[in-house]
Amino acid sequence: MELLSIIHQDFTMSIECSKFDAIWGKAVRNVGAENLTSTYSWSDGVVSVFRQDEDGNSQEIKNGEIQEAVFFDNAEYPIWVDFKNHVRNARFGSILQGDNENFSFRKGILAGFLNYGNDIGKSEILIDYAVGTEIRHFRFGFDVLSTKLNYHEHWRKIIEDIESEYRMLSLDYMRRTFHGFSPDTEGETPELVWWSIFAGEQKKFVSAVKSIIERPRHRLHGIETYVRADKLTRIPISIENELTEHRKEPAHLYRVEQQVQSNDTQENRFLKHALGQITAKYESLKRRIEAIKGTSVPFKEEMKAMLDTLKHLRRNPFFRTVGRFKGMNQESLILQKASGYNQVYRTWNLLRRAYSLNDGIYRLQSKDIATLYEIWCFIEVSHIVRDLLGVKPEDVDHRNRMEMNGIFTWELGKGEHSRILFKKDDVELAELVYNPKHTDRENDSISMENLIVPTVPQKPDIVLQLTKRDRQKEMKMTYLFDAKYRIEGRVNGVDTPPEDAINQMHRYRDAIYYKEHSSNELKKEVIGGYILFPGDGQRADVEVSKFYKTIEEVNIGAFPLRPKDTDNRDLLVKFIESLIGKDSIEILDDSIPQKGLYYTSEEPKDAIYMILTLDTEVNEDVASVLEGRSDTIIMGRKGMEESKDIQTVRYIAPIIPGGHIEGYYKVNKANLKRVEDARYPIRIKFEVDDWQSLRQPAKFGMAKWAFRGVCKTREEFFKHCTEHAIIDKI
């Protein structure tokens, strides 16, 4: 259907969207019709602009007027521009070549389509065309909205939260949309913005400068000097003859070149320049702020102390041997990553690029909304964990850092580079990692220190590990969160998460293993996986929804999480609070797949036949188990090989030390069982049936496998039973 019609003195433009009714309906359900507005503006030459409503009626729009929105994310908009005869040529004027290639000019018509993907914000349609020898330019401005979140309210909250945690992380370039930025509306000048930023950075900056002065980066530098023969550490070929000639003259001096360490490096020159620049700026602004009526005496004293510290650092003898900074002739990894230097470089960059989020004439482009939502969810989870653990913000060990992503923008480091440790009294309580797996190459290297994927790369957005110090000493419980900027539909007044994302969490949990530092064995300790999505709904309705109730049933589910929705956010808070409060045994007893695991009827290709030595202390009727008359088998003290997944065990062949393999059971279900054993309080209970007797009993060496399950493939199991079959029982 045609949505907008623009009558211009040189052309008529028509903007269409075939599925607009469905898009509009989705946006109304998720955001509300009152929030789906856009400001329309255009350049000179326009005669009239009409918008078609849902009933097919035309409504004229005035320049600069706010009306119902037309453009939404992830929707395709065909555009037709029918030029008058006096127009010779025309082209689409986007900064993105891909968008320009979507348009072609033939027989007086410029036609193509736009799809904004996940970019939301302000945008413009730009068209350049020729009339005679004159090149004319047309601009039509509007807002691109989200069908899932309120752009006018939620987007700003997401940006503010990200910027308060990671300055400049929200920004991007070469996007289809932009946003207005300006100095603060209260009248703050850019210099005061500089001052406010440095107020939060000054302690870290001073600490970084001091650490560099104490342990600077050096480079070797050759100098010529004269030394006696007894001071030579090595004899250069160039003085061998001279040494022979004057061997009887101990006082003779020989000219040699020595390598000495020099502080005069490019990075130390930058440090000297940045420190001088910031000190001068600080002193200038300090005088102006002190002159403001009402400035407190303690605040003036703090400013004086900071200025004295900066001046004292500038006078440090270290800088006497450092030359003048002449700019960077190439990118420096030391400035970006070396301890101390990276903080100085970060502060200097922040002070050069200060801005505020108030609407203004300055245009800045942000990351797409899906990426922003993902980062925001990571920050929200980190704040929830921090508050629940009672850790002060200043005591959180941020080992995460931003890394350059292209020429102008930054991204949050992945894996170990985004790691946050939560400690109290130097005791580690939890850690949080953003996006730990993102390439095939990382399967061999562990990006979250001890998480590993033996098969294919898995990429949950957020990994939370809680350290338990109860009976399962130092045990780490791992929970996976995946932020999805998608909504599947609406059921009983509640937005629902995408079904494929829920299924993906099952794969994540089943594929990711844990490896201890002291062992190469793999352990299955990922407890659950949860989707975070921008859904809406009353809390009472969410609590009875299927995607929420499955969390308690199988530890897989979803939480609606959107800015300013405190009711549904509280569901996530209460859930994480319960995880922190439970002891490890209670968590394992409630977890899936160890508890309540029902196997599918289809047998996997890697189905395991487990030869299990029965522990007579926990299996009450061993005789009935060995004779195929039992419906329950309990695994003994040491369990199965930990590199094997319990979900793959389909058959169990029970034996006792000194006994033989008589047959095997089919496994139907597995769950956990507590027993009175301080070392091994949790056992695995198998529910079995369908006993199959072997034609001949088979021997099995038991010495080193006592009370342990030995896993074999079907082929290995029957080959063993054939090779070790006996005619007469011993």
Side-chain angles (χ1 to χ4, degrees):
M1 59 176 292
E2 184 180 54
L3 302 175
L4 286 172
S5 177
I6 302 170
I7 311 300
H8 189 276
Q9 63 186 18
D10 296 325
F11 58 81
T12 299
M13 178 185 294
S14 176
I15 300 174
E16 304 175 354
C17 182
S18 61
K19 298 181 180 179
F20 186 77
D21 288 344
I23 294 169
W24 179 262
K26 182 190 298 185
V28 169
R29 289 193 301 271
N30 296 331
V31 180
E34 68 279 7
N35 298 311
L36 302 179
T37 59
S38 170
T39 301
Y40 297 94
S41 63
W42 49 81
S43 56
D44 295 338
V46 173
V47 177
S48 61
V49 177
F50 291 92
R51 184 195 185 281
Q52 297 277 359
D53 62 21
E54 55 272 18
D55 298 325
N57 301 318
S58 295
Q59 182 177 4
E60 187 172 3
I61 301 174
K62 301 299 182 181
N63 197 349
E65 193 175 41
I66 298 176
Q67 287 287 343
E68 290 182 342
V70 165
F71 292 90
F72 291 91
D73 55 352
N74 296 299
E76 193 162 292
Y77 293 88
I79 298 175
W80 305 81
V81 186
D82 189 358
F83 288 93
K84 295 183 178 180
N85 294 334
H86 59 265
V87 175
R88 292 191 301 105
N89 196 9
R91 67 177 183 86
F92 197 74
S94 172
I95 61 172
L96 299 176
Q97 181 60 27
D99 285 351
N100 293 334
E101 291 175 351
N102 290 335
F103 285 80
S104 62
F105 181 73
R106 292 182 181 178
K107 298 181 179 180
I109 295 177
L110 179 68
F113 66 90
L114 282 177
N115 189 323
Y116 286 89
N118 283 322
D119 290 340
I120 64 173
K122 303 178 187 300
S123 188
E124 294 175 337
I125 292 175
L126 301 174
I127 296 176
D128 303 326
Y129 58 96
V131 177
T133 59
E134 179 188 1
I135 302 298
R136 295 182 181 178
H137 308 281
F138 170 74
R139 178 193 63 82
F140 181 71
F142 47 86
D143 295 325
V144 180
L145 305 188
S146 166
T147 58
K148 307 168 187 70
L149 293 174
N150 182 352
Y151 165 67
H152 305 292
E153 181 178 346
H154 294 150
W155 177 87
R156 186 166 300 280
K157 174 61 175 171
I158 288 175
I159 292 288
E160 289 174 351
D161 289 349
I162 294 175
E163 288 293 303
S164 65
E165 198 92 0
Y166 304 100
R167 185 70 174 171
M168 292 174 18
L169 181 59
S170 301
L171 299 187
D172 208 339
Y173 69 107
M174 297 295 286
R175 313 299 304 191
R176 295 180 176 87
T177 58
F178 60 89
H179 312 274
F181 289 78
S182 72
D184 191 86
T185 53
E186 296 297 323
E188 283 190 338
T189 68
E191 289 178 329
L192 287 180
V193 174
W194 185 101
W195 178 266
S196 65
I197 291 175
F198 188 65
E201 292 283 315
Q202 58 190 15
K203 291 183 179 179
K204 292 182 284 186
F205 178 79
V206 168
S207 176
V209 174
K210 289 179 178 179
S211 70
I212 294 173
I213 292 175
E214 292 172 359
R215 295 180 298 277
R217 293 286 181 131
H218 305 288
R219 67 180 178 90
L220 291 176
H221 178 65
I223 61 170
E224 285 189 351
T225 186
Y226 291 83
V227 296
R228 297 195 306 267
D230 60 341
K231 297 297 183 179
L232 291 171
T233 56
R234 66 181 185 85
I235 301 174
I237 297 176
S238 60
I239 67 168
E240 287 180 349
N241 293 336
E242 185 181 2
L243 188 65
T244 303
E245 181 181 350
H246 300 282
R247 65 182 181 276
K248 294 182 180 181
E249 300 174 37
H252 183 80
L253 298 177
Y254 300 88
R255 188 177 69 177
V256 296
E257 183 179 84
Q258 289 185 338
Q259 296 292 322
V260 296
Q261 288 186 332
S262 171
N263 291 328
D264 192 17
T265 65
Q266 180 177 247
E267 289 77 19
N268 290 334
R269 289 181 178 183
F270 170 80
L271 171 65
K272 183 178 181 179
H273 167 74
L275 179 59
Q277 192 182 62
I278 289 173
T279 303
K281 186 80 169 180
Y282 191 95
E283 185 174 17
S284 171
L285 293 180
K286 170 181 171 291
R287 287 195 298 265
R288 291 166 55 182
I289 292 172
E290 284 178 332
I292 298 174
K293 186 178 179 179
T295 304
S296 68
V297 174
F299 184 54
K300 291 180 180 179
E301 291 174 350
E302 290 177 11
M303 289 190 292
K304 182 179 183 302
M306 176 53 61
L307 181 59
D308 290 343
T309 300
L310 293 172
K311 287 183 174 181
H312 179 73
L313 289 172
R314 285 196 68 189
R315 294 192 297 266
N316 193 287
F318 167 79
F319 293 109
R320 294 175 187 171
T321 59
V322 177
R324 187 168 63 88
F325 181 66
K326 299 179 182 179
M328 292 288 180
N329 52 18
Q330 63 181 18
E331 186 173 319
S332 172
L333 291 178
I334 291 177
L335 286 181
Q336 290 192 20
K337 297 187 177 180
S339 177
Y341 290 91
N342 61 350
Q343 180 61 52
V344 170
Y345 187 62
R346 175 182 182 274
T347 302
W348 184 72
N349 261 321
L350 288 179
L351 297 175
R352 291 171 63 229
R353 298 185 174 128
Y355 55 86
S356 112
L357 293 171
N358 297 297
D359 288 335
I361 62 174
Y362 302 104
R363 295 184 178 185
L364 287 176
Q365 299 170 342
S366 73
K367 290 180 171 62
D368 65 90
I369 184 61
T371 301
L372 292 174
Y373 180 73
E374 183 180 290
I375 297 171
W376 180 79
C377 285
F378 173 69
I379 293 173
E380 281 291 282
V381 173
S382 72
H383 288 177
I384 290 171
V385 173
R386 181 194 69 195
D387 295 343
L388 290 174
L389 291 174
V391 179
K392 296 179 180 178
E394 58 269 23
D395 294 333
V396 177
D397 185 0
H398 281 269
R399 300 188 179 183
N400 53 340
R401 66 167 185 256
M402 294 197 305
E403 299 172 344
M404 188 64 79
N405 179 29
I407 301 174
F408 306 113
T409 58
W410 300 81
E411 68 177 4
L412 190 62
K414 300 182 186 298
E416 288 301 298
H417 302 310
S418 68
R419 189 165 174 241
I420 300 177
L421 289 179
F422 301 90
K423 293 182 176 181
K424 206 169 186 178
D425 301 325
D426 291 329
V427 177
E428 182 182 327
L429 303 176
E431 65 178 302
L432 194 68
V433 166
Y434 171 68
N435 216 0
K437 286 278 177 190
H438 57 95
T439 65
D440 281 320
R441 292 189 299 273
E442 289 184 358
N443 278 334
D444 296 327
S445 64
I446 303 171
S447 58
M448 188 180 173
E449 195 167 290
N450 46 17
L451 285 184
I452 189 170
V453 182
T455 52
V456 297
Q458 304 292 328
K459 181 185 158 186
D461 293 328
I462 305 164
V463 175
L464 170 65
Q465 282 193 328
L466 299 176
T467 303
K468 296 295 180 177
R469 287 178 167 78
D470 45 28
R471 283 176 285 180
Q472 298 291 312
K473 188 177 180 181
E474 302 299 318
M475 191 168 192
K476 290 189 175 183
M477 305 296 180
T478 300
Y479 303 89
L480 311 177
F481 295 88
D482 224 17
K484 296 295 185 186
Y485 176 68
R486 293 164 54 197
I487 296 174
E488 183 81 9
R490 196 170 182 86
V491 177
N492 298 327
V494 176
D495 292 333
T496 59
E499 186 174 340
D500 63 324
I502 296 288
N503 295 334
Q504 189 179 49
M505 295 314 296
H506 283 278
R507 295 194 296 273
Y508 282 171
R509 184 183 64 183
D510 297 344
I512 298 177
Y513 287 75
Y514 176 85
K515 182 162 71 173
E516 293 181 334
H517 293 294
S518 58
S519 170
N520 286 325
E521 294 181 327
L522 298 181
K523 294 185 177 182
K524 196 80 170 66
E525 59 84 64
V526 175
I527 305 301
Y530 319 97
I531 297 297
L532 305 177
F533 73 107
D536 191 21
Q538 295 297 318
R539 175 170 174 168
D541 296 331
V542 172
E543 289 178 319
V544 297
S545 64
K546 180 181 178 181
F547 65 79
Y548 182 78
K549 294 180 69 175
T550 56
I551 295 172
E552 183 178 353
E553 297 169 359
V554 296
N555 259 319
I556 297 287
F559 293 93
L561 188 64
R562 56 164 55 189
K564 300 187 177 183
D565 186 353
T566 55
D567 282 349
N568 286 327
R569 181 184 187 272
D570 192 54
L571 294 177
L572 179 61
V573 173
K574 296 296 184 185
F575 175 71
I576 296 179
E577 184 179 32
S578 71
L579 302 181
I580 293 173
K582 290 181 180 179
D583 63 30
S584 56
I585 290 180
E586 185 179 0
I587 292 173
L588 289 176
D589 193 30
D590 291 339
S591 66
I592 298 293
Q594 291 90 343
K595 180 181 179 182
L597 176 63
Y598 290 89
Y599 295 109
T600 60
S601 58
E602 181 181 355
E603 183 173 312
K605 295 179 181 178
D606 58 349
I608 293 298
Y609 285 68
M610 185 169 68
I611 304 172
L612 177 62
T613 310
L614 296 177
D615 187 336
T616 55
E617 295 181 8
V618 295
N619 288 279
E620 298 178 357
D621 191 353
V622 174
S624 65
V625 175
L626 293 173
E627 295 170 4
R629 296 182 287 107
S630 178
D631 57 8
T632 301
I633 299 177
I634 300 177
M635 183 176 283
R637 291 192 294 270
K638 296 186 178 180
M640 64 184 286
E641 298 170 77
E642 290 174 334
S643 62
K644 300 295 183 182
D645 190 342
I646 193 69
Q647 298 180 67
T648 61
V649 177
R650 287 294 193 268
Y651 303 95
I652 293 180
I655 55 173
I656 57 174
H660 304 84
I661 304 173
E662 301 279 354
Y664 56 91
Y665 290 94
K666 181 180 179 181
V667 176
N668 290 324
K669 182 182 176 183
N671 57 27
L672 297 181
K673 178 180 177 65
R674 282 197 182 97
V675 295
E676 296 299 325
D677 188 326
R679 292 184 61 196
Y680 302 97
I682 298 177
R683 309 293 171 85
I684 297 178
K685 181 174 74 172
F686 294 97
E687 294 183 10
V688 297
D689 63 9
D690 195 17
W691 168 262
Q692 299 291 326
S693 298
L694 295 176
R695 294 183 179 180
Q696 300 291 346
K699 295 180 180 179
F700 189 72
M702 298 310 306
K704 67 176 181 178
W705 297 111
F707 307 115
R708 176 169 293 188
V710 179
C711 297
K712 293 181 174 294
T713 64
R714 176 182 177 86
E715 181 181 358
E716 291 171 342
F717 176 76
F718 285 105
K719 181 179 179 182
H720 173 88
C721 292
T722 301
E723 292 177 350
H724 298 277
I726 58 174
I727 303 302
D728 298 316
K729 296 182 182 179
I730 299 175

